[in-house]
Amino acid sequence: MGLDDKIKNAAQDLTGKGKEGAGKATDNESLEAEGHKDQASANLKQAGENVKDAFK
């Protein structure tokens, strides 16, 4: 896995955590849900990259 992929996945995860926190703080359920979605997407991409690395 390339370093740029790791950075992008980490950034997306952090963005998701920020959105989730902001959503909780402001009682904005849609923003909180969007944060969860961003984190899940980043985790899924990370898992896919780990599978690719395992078969190298």
Side-chain angles (χ1 to χ4, degrees):
M1 175 160 78
L3 182 60
D4 58 331
D5 290 332
K6 286 182 181 181
I7 292 170
K8 286 178 187 178
N9 291 339
Q12 185 175 17
D13 187 50
L14 287 174
T15 300
K17 287 179 182 180
K19 286 180 183 179
E20 179 185 359
K24 283 182 181 179
T26 61
D27 285 332
N28 185 336
E29 292 179 4
S30 64
L31 185 59
E32 188 176 347
E34 188 176 333
H36 282 290
K37 183 186 77 147
D38 287 349
Q39 290 177 64
S41 177
N43 290 336
L44 185 60
K45 288 178 188 176
Q46 183 67 35
E49 291 295 330
N50 289 341
V51 169
K52 280 196 254 180
D53 285 346
F55 287 101
K56 284 186 178 179

